[in-house]
Amino acid sequence: MARMKFLCDAERCIECNGCVTACKNENEVPWGVNRRRVITINDGKPGERSLSVACMHCSDAPCMAVCPVDCFYQTADGIVLHNKDMCIGCGYCFYACPFGAPQFPRNGAFGTRGKMDKCTFCAGGPEPDGSQEEFSKYGRNRIAEGKLPICAEMCSTKALLAGDGEEVANIYRERVIMRGFGSGAWGWGRAYPGQNPG
Amino acid sequence: MLRKKRDGVASGPRLSDSVMETAPRAMDRRTFLKRSGLTAGGLAAAATMTTGRVSRARAAQAKSAPVKTVKTVCTHCSVGCTVIAEVQNGVWTRQQPGFDSPFNLGGHCAKGAAVREHAHGERRLKYPMKLVDGKWKRISWDEAINEIGDKMLEIRKSSGPDSVYWLGSAKHSNEQAYLFRKFYAFWGTNNGDHQARICHSTTVAGVANTWGYGAMTNSYNDIHKSRSMILFGSNPAEAHPVALQHILKAKEENNAALIVCDPRFTRTAAKATEYVRFRPGTDVPLVWGILYHILKNGWEDKAYIRARVWGLDFVKKEVMKWTPEEVERVTGVPGSQLERVARTLANNRPGTLIWCMGGTQHHQGNNNTRAYCILQLALGNIGKSGGGANIFRGHDNVQGATDMCVLSHSLPGYYGLKKGSWKHWCRVWDVDYEWMKGRFASEKLMQSKGIPVSRWIDGVLEKKENIDQPDNLRAMVFWGHAPNSQTRGPEMKKAMEKLDLLVVVDPYPTVSAVMHDRKDGVYLLPASTQYETYGSVTASNRSIQWRDKVVDPLFESLPDHVIMYKFAKKLGFADQMFKHIKVNGEEPLVEDITREFNKGMWTIGYTGQSPERLKAHMKYQHTFDKTTLQAKGGPLDGEYYGLPWPCWGTAQMKHPGTPNLYDPSKPVAKGGLCFRARFGVKAPDAWGGGNLLAEGSWPVGSEIKDGYPEFTMAMLKKLGWDKDLTDAERKVIEAVAGDKTNWKTDLSGGIQRVAIKHGCAPFGNAKARTVVWNFPDPVPIHREPLYTPRRDLLDKYATYEDKKAYRLPTKYASIQKVDYAKDYPLILTSGRLVEYEGGGEETRSNPWLAELQQHMFAEINLADANDLGIRDGEMIWIESPEKSKVLVKAMVTERVGRGVVFMPFHFGGWFEGKNLKDKYPEGTQPYVLGEAANTAMTYGYDSVTQMQETKATLCKVMKA
């Protein structure tokens, strides 16, 4: 059985935000809600690194563990999804998530949080696959169409990989072999501080 | 640098503002939704919805409607990424990755992944409008064309055709660009131009004058083979993000060094193995500082230089003056670092050299571009796979529009403006030369360079007696051009206000609609985007791709070539202009236009790329190798993707295109080449009179085993090769000019065909020249920026004397001699952001992109900020020595060095602290407005091409 995973290669990510707009365009994510974000650290300084971050679809997902109404579920492929009809917008998953993935639209006059929204690995929600209702609540269901998440498919430098963890690992392993030496996803600088792969 | 709003509520216009009237005629997305009955709640509700739900409503669509897939090409940068559009009921609903494209392999940056929004166009200009008593009024197309046409004809009568300026666009397809160039020739002026003037004009002039053609020599994909990469003033991580896919591949797989030379520590620099920070405007000293070590240590490629390079000894004299100490004094880069860079380049060949606007946009830009070329020639890196001068062009079709010469100094194919050039094109157009001459004010003006776009404001404001044409410019047509991409904002405003007539043809109103205080005489005509029409587009690597039409024109917009036809008809030359182009209704047939330029563009080999061949390349994209770009098997076996020019001869000759220029390791018939014999066979006596032809180097399979001049009919006869011509070819050649007919003017393609049959390059086989004796500085030398902070360097490195160029007086020394640095101590430079492009009107009107960059800002170094008492996020004024000023947000960062301030140039809609939001026609304001960086940019124009100086001026920063 496939186990769906993302991997973002910091040697490759250039913060072009292609993944961000691809996600918005495909899933019609409203202004202000960001299922995917590119984070840059040491901005403008040597050691600058960018990484694209969304829900990581944890195997033992903390959001699922803490949800008071138990609105989360995990697909057989390991994708963590939730049911917006059940969600009460309490934000407890936001506390629990190690990645800041849950998003809360502001659609009320007093800043009420609304239903939680997050990356679905382009796998929709509990409604029938490809239905209008699923689309309007969760966005596209590319997985049901036999496609992978749009963010990774459109990544400009192929930094962001998505799919069955085993396949992702194989692609990444091949890449590491091609590089010739051991820079991990976090980059050479992390493995051997102060050195550049020359 | 990249300021991201994380909580999402825009301070500017909101998405909900966008819910507005829909045009009655054309079907837009919402009309479609209505018809499909899918709006769930109806349109009326949409107006009251909050931001999020509007998007949702927009998204609703017919799941059941059949999906049509269309292949097109992104309209942003010059990488040429394939876009796969899904269309339902005539509405563009989704984008899929184009994995088959060898250029992007499915990848997109933020802009490419969001192009669908352009074809939804909520903020587009929806119908023709004119300004009446300061208010926008909707008018019909007929009214617009008639009123504008009448006014132009009146100006033509009283002031001559040169008083109307036709400003074209790098956003046009090749067919539209060609038609536009033809259009202003038929109007009777050379006063036409486009963005290339202010982007890579110094490249084209510098590079073409060094080795023959002014284009990127290799391709993005060919970088896979590089063993080193050095970038000057180029930040592809933001300007050409998908290019990084290829650059990083070389870095990772070849362990290739990536050396980034830039005043800013850019996103690209963050991926570099070596970062060189230098003072803006000191490229020549920097390059000479590297070449110094190469020549001193004998690391140059001596055999290559002997065979293929002329004049390096003259350059060496200049280079050896640039000792490490002097280089450090001028550029700020330590000698030890440049020695390491030189050693890396010498030890890792082939290496590629990449440059962009950071190198070109200077008043001595042509010196910079030639210096880069010389560095590569010394290393023997040109004409080699993995090497090359990989000049990344900016817009999606700026290469094509340049090739079509939407410029003030040449006819299509870089034929120039001489009598012979006009006669060539008159033959192609099948019009009488005398008739054409009669369209112009005089034969002299027909053959003299027009005013370049960088100087149009002076064409309006300069005293009439100082301009080399009958009258000032009185009408200005902005046909796909953002005025905020040009310097000297306050003067531009004045010029706009002085004009009799201002016409904007664009999918968006652009800053041209709002920056002036006119009350009338302004027309806005809605043009369609390239997704609403079809045609060819040339990527930076000279490959030509064919776009299919995704959707019908939105609202009342029309494709540019239709608008051109309307104007030609009104102005009275449509019959002549469209003699051999079929017109359906009012739409000229795109394929006929392609075929027409195929008939004339022999100089650069735009002759073999017929519409049929180009369409086949798009269809069989998947058969091309992702590194060499060559098709392996399949119906296009052996051809190179997009038939990169020169694709010699006629389409029937089936030349495969030239993947890397000047590469003699392949036969010419298979895409090989040598350097072009463009500058004669012998150097001028003042420069030693040496042999300019290649010595002991020729493309594989050449029957002439030495250098040779360019081919003419006389030369064919001398070689006895004229017997290979067919009778038909011979007849055409005789009709053109008999023995004097050459490879550029032979309309049959026979001379090219025969030369190539014998393994020869039609343009000759010469050496590259490192000394351009006809330029102001034959050997590139350093000249300090006009507004320099280093007064101490002026005794050695002063600028030029004032002079006249392109019909206008041009200032150099008279600016530099005044000391502005006392009051304006900081260097001001500019550049790109990944989310936006050009003047930004289109991208700032795209909600997905606008959300990511909501505020205009300026980067200022931490130390400078602390000295001035400015804190991150505060509003500041930036004032230039010409007293123009902008109000922007401070971004305190170490990305810029001490003493340097940087601004992105994509913003507009504010002017010197004033928000111009209310001046846009209702519903067309971009989501994000901000000060245009170029408002505060100053005077300064390249000594050869009139490129504007935007990369090195001075400023002072004040707390607002």
Side-chain angles (χ1 to χ4, degrees), chain B residues 538-837:
Chain B
T538 307
S540 197
N541 71 315
R542 298 165 283 106
S543 281
I544 307 179
Q545 302 189 89
W546 193 270
R547 285 188 178 115
D548 279 333
K549 180 163 108 172
V550 180
V551 291
D552 286 331
L554 293 191
F555 315 107
E556 285 186 21
S557 74
L558 292 172
D560 296 285
H561 52 290
V562 176
I563 306 172
M564 287 173 214
Y565 178 77
K566 278 177 175 287
F567 271 116
K569 207 166 67 173
K570 169 70 191 172
L571 299 173
F573 50 81
D575 291 347
Q576 293 280 3
M577 187 170 157
F578 294 91
K579 223 174 194 175
H580 297 287
I581 297 166
K582 193 174 161 200
V583 181
N584 297 315
E586 288 192 314
E587 178 162 17
L589 183 64
V590 172
E591 287 87 346
D592 272 2
I593 307 175
T594 321
R595 288 184 199 109
E596 189 174 290
F597 68 66
N598 283 160
K599 274 194 272 178
M601 304 263 286
W602 303 97
T603 40
I604 52 171
Y606 254 78
T607 47
Q609 303 98 333
S610 64
E612 294 73 23
R613 288 185 86 188
L614 294 175
K615 288 176 190 174
H617 276 237
M618 291 310 279
K619 185 172 171 195
Y620 295 103
Q621 259 186 342
H622 60 284
T623 63
F624 293 89
D625 185 89
K626 306 286 188 275
T627 294
T628 63
L629 295 178
Q630 192 174 31
K632 286 188 180 143
L636 306 171
D637 190 26
E639 293 186 8
Y640 291 95
Y641 180 64
L643 301 168
W645 67 258
C647 176
W648 300 111
T650 59
Q652 291 72 36
M653 204 175 104
K654 290 260 175 201
H655 189 270
T658 307
N660 299 325
L661 296 174
Y662 326 117
D663 177 2
S665 71
K666 297 183 189 80
V668 178
K670 301 215 156 125
L673 268 185
C674 40
F675 290 127
R676 177 175 174 185
R678 196 176 186 172
F679 320 108
V681 295
K682 190 172 153 279
D685 292 336
W687 292 96
N691 177 21
L692 290 178
L693 297 179
E695 295 179 65
S697 165
W698 54 85
V700 168
S702 173
E703 290 180 23
I704 304 179
K705 308 233 179 278
D706 205 354
Y708 47 87
E710 51 187 340
F711 273 79
T712 61
M713 182 61 178
M715 187 167 151
L716 277 193
K717 281 186 174 165
K718 215 164 147 189
L719 290 161
W721 295 351
D722 62 309
K723 61 179 184 299
D724 294 329
L725 291 167
T726 65
D727 290 343
E729 285 166 349
R730 192 182 293 273
K731 221 169 117 191
V732 174
I733 292 166
E734 286 308 324
V736 172
D739 280 4
K740 284 191 183 146
T741 310
N742 61 30
W743 64 285
K744 295 182 282 194
T745 54
D746 165 17
L747 296 181
S748 74
I751 295 178
Q752 294 199 357
R753 187 182 64 77
V754 172
I756 290 168
K757 183 167 174 258
H758 292 275
C760 293
F763 65 25
N765 178 15
K767 294 194 189 94
R769 62 170 181 175
T770 56
V771 178
V772 181
W773 55 77
N774 48 330
F775 275 15
D777 298 324
V779 172
I781 58 170
H782 176 54
R783 293 180 185 273
E784 275 293 309
L786 299 187
Y787 292 96
T788 176
R790 292 291 300 275
R791 312 294 306 170
D792 58 316
L793 297 176
L794 289 183
D795 55 335
K796 265 178 105 171
Y797 307 114
T799 185
Y800 310 91
E801 290 305 314
D802 290 6
K803 61 179 176 184
K804 205 161 189 187
Y806 285 84
R807 303 185 184 185
L808 291 162
T810 308
K811 293 184 275 188
Y812 294 96
S814 60
I815 290 177
Q816 200 180 54
K817 69 170 194 252
V818 184
D819 181 1
Y820 293 101
K822 291 194 305 277
D823 300 325
Y824 298 89
L826 298 170
I827 298 172
L828 178 60
T829 188
S830 69
R832 280 217 205 190
L833 297 175
V834 68
E835 291 85 357
Y836 295 149
E837 200 220 343

Side-chain angles (χ1 to χ4, degrees), chain A residues 10-165:
Chain A
E11 292 284 296
R12 289 264 185 114
C13 181
I14 55 172
E15 214 221 301
C16 77
N17 284 313
C19 51
V20 176
T21 61
C23 171
K24 290 225 154 200
N25 214 35
E26 180 74 343
N27 296 306
E28 300 281 356
V29 183
W31 185 289
V33 175
N34 294 288
R35 292 182 173 185
R36 183 166 278 290
R37 265 292 187 216
V38 183
I39 304 303
T40 297
I41 56 169
N42 298 324
D43 198 13
K45 289 181 247 186
E48 178 182 305
R49 281 284 185 280
S50 299
L51 269 187
S52 176
V53 183
C55 169
M56 296 299 280
H57 301 275
C58 306
S59 303
D60 185 5
C63 53
M64 284 180 84
V66 303
C67 180
V69 294
D70 208 10
C71 79
F72 289 90
Y73 64 102
Q74 198 160 24
T75 69
D77 298 333
I79 299 169
V80 177
L81 298 174
H82 69 299
N83 183 330
K84 283 196 180 178
D85 296 334
M86 285 165 72
C87 173
I88 56 171
C90 68
Y92 207 13
C93 51
F94 195 34
Y95 274 54
C97 178
F99 300 100
Q103 299 281 303
F104 296 90
R106 301 183 181 193
N107 51 2
F110 299 96
T112 50
R113 277 189 287 213
K115 311 274 188 194
M116 190 274 280
D117 187 83
K118 73 168 190 69
C119 160
T120 66
F121 210 80
C122 286
E127 281 80 7
D129 287 347
S131 64
Q132 184 61 44
E133 203 187 0
E134 181 191 48
F135 174 65
S136 58
K137 282 188 205 159
Y138 306 95
R140 303 275 177 191
N141 191 337
R142 294 176 65 85
I143 297 294
E145 295 171 10
K147 295 170 186 151
L148 289 170
I150 193 77
C151 52
E153 289 206 324
M154 281 192 179
C155 175
S156 63
T157 59
K158 311 287 175 192
L160 184 61
L161 306 173
D164 180 4

Side-chain angles (χ1 to χ4, degrees), chain B residues 309-550:
Chain B
V309 182
W310 172 81
L312 201 61
D313 289 339
F314 299 109
V315 176
K316 191 170 178 178
K317 262 186 232 147
E318 174 64 23
V319 171
M320 297 322 279
K321 292 184 201 158
W322 289 94
T323 59
E325 297 71 36
E326 185 65 359
V327 173
E328 181 163 3
R329 183 171 85 99
V330 175
T331 67
V333 184
S336 56
Q337 186 177 22
L338 292 186
E339 197 202 355
R340 186 165 66 234
V341 169
R343 190 186 297 274
T344 306
L345 296 178
N347 289 342
N348 294 283
R349 288 182 252 199
T352 188
L353 189 152
I354 296 162
W355 76 80
C356 288
M357 302 310 69
T360 63
Q361 289 181 333
H362 293 284
H363 87 287
Q364 81 293 14
N366 76 85
N367 286 2
N368 296 345
T369 60
R370 287 181 291 133
Y372 306 143
C373 294
I374 293 167
L375 176 61
Q376 281 296 67
L377 287 169
L379 288 162
N381 275 336
I382 301 296
K384 287 189 182 158
S385 184
N390 281 323
I391 305 138
F392 293 174
R393 302 298 305 257
H395 293 235
D396 57 318
N397 200 31
V398 70
Q399 185 61 52
T402 306
D403 296 335
M404 299 303 158
C405 290
V406 185
L407 299 168
S408 67
H409 65 275
S410 187
L411 283 161
Y414 310 97
Y415 277 82
L417 293 172
K418 294 202 181 99
K419 193 168 180 175
S421 322
W422 280 105
K423 286 201 157 167
H424 168 73
W425 279 103
C426 285
R427 277 193 293 273
V428 176
W429 295 332
D430 189 20
V431 295
D432 180 40
Y433 174 78
E434 292 301 317
W435 178 85
M436 186 53 90
K437 199 174 85 184
R439 298 294 302 159
F440 282 78
S442 69
E443 194 169 22
K444 184 164 171 268
L445 281 168
M446 185 183 189
Q447 291 174 23
S448 72
K449 295 173 183 173
I451 295 170
V453 50
S454 48
R455 305 295 307 278
W456 77 265
I457 48 181
D458 295 309
V460 178
L461 300 176
E462 184 65 59
K463 281 196 204 101
K464 198 159 141 179
E465 58 270 24
N466 293 341
I467 314 180
D468 293 337
Q469 67 174 44
D471 199 350
N472 287 90
L473 297 177
R474 292 177 55 198
M476 189 72 202
V477 183
F478 282 90
W479 204 315
H481 189 107
N484 47 325
S485 61
Q486 287 181 254
T487 55
R488 298 165 60 200
E491 282 167 280
M492 188 183 304
K493 179 170 184 286
K494 214 186 287 169
M496 282 183 172
E497 285 161 6
K498 198 184 153 205
L499 288 168
D500 292 30
L501 176 68
L502 174 60
V503 181
V504 178
V505 188
D506 203 284
Y508 295 86
T510 78
V511 173
S512 303
V514 298
M515 76 178 279
H516 49 77
D517 288 324
R518 295 183 69 104
K519 297 278 174 244
D520 49 32
V522 185
Y523 291 83
L524 308 178
L525 306 180
S528 307
T529 66
Q530 293 300 329
Y531 303 115
E532 295 145 64
T533 182
Y534 68 104
S536 70
V537 51
T538 307
S540 197
N541 71 315
R542 298 165 283 106
S543 281
I544 307 179
Q545 302 189 89
W546 193 270
R547 285 188 178 115
D548 279 333
K549 180 163 108 172
V550 180

